[in-house]
Amino acid sequence: MNPIEVFKALSNESRFQILQWLKEPNLHFTPHEGIDMTEVGVCVTQITNKLNMTQSTASQYLAMMQRAGLITTKRIGKFTYYQRNEQAIRQLAAFMKDEI
């Protein structure tokens, strides 16, 4: 985990909000084609619609969060699903507690 990359990714309100939504996807999104969002994740289309922005911008935000290690992806057919990387978030919490 590169803390600077993580903090950069979280420095945008929309990216921060995505991470919050992905914590409890069933509260914030309607399931995509019968996918279990807790197990598989949330489709980029669902995130794009909720943010009310272009898919290109949402994809850029998600890519930045993935590079920072905050989220993981799963590809099923033509769709990409996103989930929080809970291990990385625990590492970030430990880093904050121990180093800052």
Side-chain angles (χ1 to χ4, degrees), residues 26-91:
N26 292 314
L27 294 178
H28 301 285
F29 300 98
T30 302
H32 183 252
E33 297 185 7
I35 295 291
D36 181 344
M37 294 182 293
T38 304
E39 292 295 318
V40 177
V42 177
C43 182
V44 66
T45 304
Q46 296 166 280
I47 295 168
T48 300
N49 291 341
K50 189 153 180 86
L51 288 171
N52 195 28
M53 62 177 52
T54 66
Q55 185 164 344
S56 172
T57 301
S59 292
Q60 288 175 358
Y61 284 0
L62 292 163
M64 182 178 201
M65 295 170 69
Q66 185 180 9
R67 282 190 304 274
L70 294 169
I71 59 175
T72 60
T73 62
K74 191 175 292 182
R75 184 90 175 163
I76 300 176
K78 63 180 182 176
F79 299 104
T80 302
Y81 296 88
Y82 295 86
Q83 284 183 303
R84 286 168 43 116
N85 182 343
E86 297 298 339
Q87 181 180 355
I89 292 169
R90 284 190 297 275
Q91 288 175 342

